[in-house]
Amino acid sequence: MRFATIGALASVAPLAAAAAKTERTFAVLHFTSNQFLTEGPMDPVVNPGGEATHYHSIMGGSNFGISTRGDDLLSSDCTTTTVKNDKSNYWVPTLFFQDPKDQNSFEKVPLDYMNVYYFFEPTNSTIEPFPVGLKMLSGNSTTRSPPKFGGGGNLDPSAGPVQPIQWICPRQNYDPPSYPVGSDGMTAGIQDPNNNGAGAGFPLYDCDGTYSPLRQDIHFPSCYNPEAGIDDYQHNMAWPTTVDGLQTCPAGWIHVPHIFYEVYWDTPSFKDRWTPDGKTQPFVLSNGDATGYASHGDFISGWDQDTLETIINTCDVGTTGMENCPNLPGGKNDNKDCTIQPAIGTMVKVSEVLNALPLNVPVTGWGKGGVSSGTGSGSSEPASSSSKSVVSTYSTSTAAKDPSSSQATKASETTKATTTAEPTSSTLVPTGNAFLELPNESISSPAAEIKPTVTAAAAVEVSAADSSEAEGPYISTVWDVTTVTSTTTVLPEPTSTPLRRRHAPLHSHGHFQRHLYSGFAGRR
């Protein structure tokens, strides 16, 4: 999301230790290039010490590895963030193009660019820095079911089921619409009722808008439970509720920044490789998801806490970038060459054609793999959606040693990765009102569906047997609309972000206002 921040961008006075914060401030974390730090089947949040169930793309500190902890990240030699003292890691499942002419042909979709918004919400307490090493996960990596909230977004548990995941697809026009009219989400995605360019699930048409390609949106909860601790991502986070206009965490919990991933994928590069028909689309996530419902993100904090505290209390630079915060401890990071070898396997190259997704993960959902709804992880279909069984040309038979990362090197020396015919399923638990993923447990039935009730932000422990799918608050990030009745032109701020852009740096159609004040933001 590239747009000029409306109004003056200036530092705000430091907050008193016990004073309520009555206005939202924010700063966008940029990255130094459109290249990930590393990629591979690694997930130290859900699968610490071993091979993950699917392939990921990772940004952040260079000491990322299969057993990464916060202290490891603080000593990273470099980072892909534009703030030197942020060595955190941010990662998502990788997007692939499945060739409609050959269902056993997969190509990695290049990254266009990525942003992480840091929102410092109005609150009746104070917002504190993330504990070093805090692990978070938002999203449900195994679901193929449409979200209960529908196509829009919601982050407030009191307003309905939380849904922090959306896909944004700007188009030149929306006739035909990106999602079928009246879709129930079982065979295609669901339109956001407030935004023609957004919805739940993958859109069925090419994202040919002026300003951006397909965008993956992921919001994270902002209430931390210190009793659960930094490693227990299944129970340590919850979504705040709104009380008298202020974000409120459960008693004894700590209010931390609300982070929001925007991942822009270069899908227009494939526009001549498929013909939209209003029924199917060619993109799949590395976890085998053909629906887009199983989008998710992971985070481990590697922040220098004094730096993050300074940003929380004094920085409101908006989209001009966190690197432009006044009096930024450590300063701006100009290193554009921070990459490491993966601790497991090798990175898939752009334009490299695979016979199946990495780790032979089967493609399921919307009729593929025999699954039209449900979790999709219980499919007995072969490793591709076609009738012919194939084995991925991607291999994790050897663990690569990473000379630039002691953590990754140590992990590669002690772990042997194996390639399996199918990925291990995960079980989801709705504890803490965040979407959770438990490793190495199978889901009994792909059609089984439990509907947990979200009542408040206070976490209530639920056993893995109680639910196969978690739900969360919805956030609606609006990118584009079909009809514009009034337009306010905002002159762009110059941006120093050294990223390749195929789109204009300024939106003149009110995107900034709608992003902050409509949908989930307006309710928060």
Side-chain angles (χ1 to χ4, degrees):
M1 175 187 316
R2 300 292 301 161
F3 46 76
T5 300
I6 295 177
L9 298 178
S11 62
V12 296
L15 302 173
K21 186 177 187 298
T22 58
E23 295 183 359
R24 163 188 274 179
T25 55
F26 79 104
V28 176
L29 177 69
H30 294 141
F31 294 91
T32 57
S33 76
N34 63 341
Q35 180 173 280
F36 287 109
L37 169 78
T38 191
E39 298 177 2
M42 302 163 288
D43 189 339
V45 170
V46 178
N47 304 102
E51 180 182 275
T53 59
H54 53 275
Y55 191 94
H56 291 102
S57 296
I58 300 101
M59 284 289 198
S62 61
N63 271 3
F64 178 86
I66 59 175
S67 301
T68 297
R69 297 181 62 83
D71 290 343
D72 302 318
L73 294 179
L74 291 178
S75 59
S76 294
D77 291 333
C78 64
T79 179
T80 63
T81 73
T82 55
V83 175
K84 282 186 178 180
N85 286 345
D86 179 20
K87 308 294 179 62
S88 304
N89 286 130
Y90 310 80
W91 68 96
V92 294
T94 308
L95 189 67
F96 283 83
F97 174 80
Q98 185 178 22
D99 195 336
K101 298 179 181 179
D102 181 0
Q103 292 292 287
N104 294 328
S105 176
F106 296 84
E107 295 174 49
K108 184 177 73 174
V109 178
L111 174 71
D112 194 42
Y113 69 105
M114 179 176 176
N115 291 326
V116 177
Y117 280 67
Y118 274 70
F119 290 120
F120 313 123
E121 309 283 8
T123 179
N124 54 7
S125 57
T126 58
I127 297 177
E128 303 293 338
F130 295 122
V132 175
L134 174 65
K135 296 180 178 180
M136 293 195 291
L137 180 146
S138 184
N140 177 335
S141 72
T142 66
T143 189
R144 303 296 181 266
S145 297
K148 303 306 176 293
F149 195 82
N154 175 46
L155 292 185
D156 188 344
S158 65
V162 172
Q163 166 55 7
I165 307 298
Q166 263 196 326
W167 292 92
I168 312 299
C169 180
R171 296 170 57 200
Q172 295 294 329
N173 67 76
Y174 298 96
D175 183 17
S178 299
Y179 302 90
V181 176
S183 172
D184 63 1
M186 302 304 284
T187 58
I190 307 173
Q191 178 72 57
D192 184 329
N194 299 311
N195 179 11
N196 288 335
F202 290 125
L204 298 178
Y205 291 87
D206 179 50
C207 306
D208 61 354
T210 303
Y211 300 108
S212 110
L214 181 65
R215 190 180 91 207
Q216 181 181 17
D217 283 7
I218 305 166
H219 291 263
F220 286 75
S222 56
C223 294
Y224 166 63
N225 180 7
E227 291 188 3
I230 59 175
D231 293 319
D232 189 0
Y233 71 94
Q234 301 161 13
H235 307 100
N236 65 6
M237 298 301 298
W239 303 91
T241 53
T242 303
V243 179
D244 296 328
L246 301 177
Q247 298 293 289
T248 304
C249 290
W253 292 50
I254 298 172
H255 200 157
V256 295
H258 160 200
I259 61 173
F260 163 49
Y261 292 5
E262 286 185 332
V263 187
Y264 294 80
W265 297 100
D266 189 11
T267 52
S269 294
F270 298 88
K271 66 180 181 179
D272 296 328
R273 303 273 301 277
W274 66 293
T275 301
D277 60 5
K279 298 177 181 179
T280 61
Q281 63 82 42
F283 298 104
V284 300
L285 290 170
S286 56
N287 56 359
D289 177 27
T291 68
Y293 298 146
S295 170
H296 59 282
D298 297 73
F299 170 79
I300 298 181
S301 179
W303 273 99
D304 170 78
Q305 288 190 292
D306 289 340
T307 301
L308 184 54
E309 183 174 21
T310 298
I311 292 170
I312 292 169
N313 291 341
T314 69
C315 185
D316 186 22
V317 296
T319 57
T320 62
M322 195 178 287
E323 68 273 19
N324 294 310
C325 288
N327 304 313
L328 180 66
K332 179 180 177 180
N333 175 36
D334 293 318
N335 182 357
K336 301 177 184 178
D337 299 314
C338 186
T339 59
I340 63 172
Q341 292 299 311
I344 296 176
T346 57
M347 284 190 279
V348 177
K349 297 180 177 63
V350 173
S351 300
E352 180 179 356
V353 179
L354 302 180
N355 293 332
L357 290 174
L359 307 184
N360 299 314
V361 174
V363 177
T364 55
W366 288 350
K368 293 189 176 184
V371 176
S372 60
S373 63
T375 64
S377 60
S379 172
S380 59
E381 294 295 312
S384 102
S385 58
S386 70
S387 59
K388 181 175 66 175
S389 178
V390 297
V391 177
S392 175
T393 52
Y394 174 84
S395 174
T396 59
S397 58
T398 59
K401 293 184 178 181
D402 171 23
S404 68
S405 169
S406 60
Q407 177 63 31
T409 302
K410 180 179 179 181
S412 67
E413 291 174 343
T414 58
T415 302
K416 293 183 178 180
T418 58
T419 301
T420 57
E422 289 189 17
T424 304
S425 300
S426 298
T427 302
L428 300 170
V429 182
T431 306
N433 297 331
F435 284 170
L436 307 175
E437 179 184 355
L438 296 177
N440 303 324
E441 294 185 21
S442 62
I443 295 177
S444 59
S445 170
E449 188 174 322
I450 306 299
K451 301 179 180 180
T453 300
V454 181
T455 57
V460 178
E461 292 195 5
V462 180
S463 68
D466 288 334
S467 175
S468 64
E469 181 179 355
E471 308 207 357
Y474 230 71
I475 301 163
S476 179
T477 303
V478 180
W479 180 274
D480 219 342
V481 292
T482 304
T483 304
V484 178
T485 57
S486 63
T487 300
T488 300
T489 301
V490 181
L491 296 178
E493 300 281 351
T495 176
S496 58
T497 308
L499 299 180
R500 176 176 60 90
R501 297 284 190 270
R502 292 195 333 277
H503 48 280
L506 170 66
H507 293 54
S508 59
H509 50 267
H511 171 55
F512 172 78
Q513 292 278 15
R514 290 198 302 277
H515 177 70
L516 288 185
Y517 302 115
S518 69
F520 86 90
R523 289 194 295 271
R524 301 305 298 275

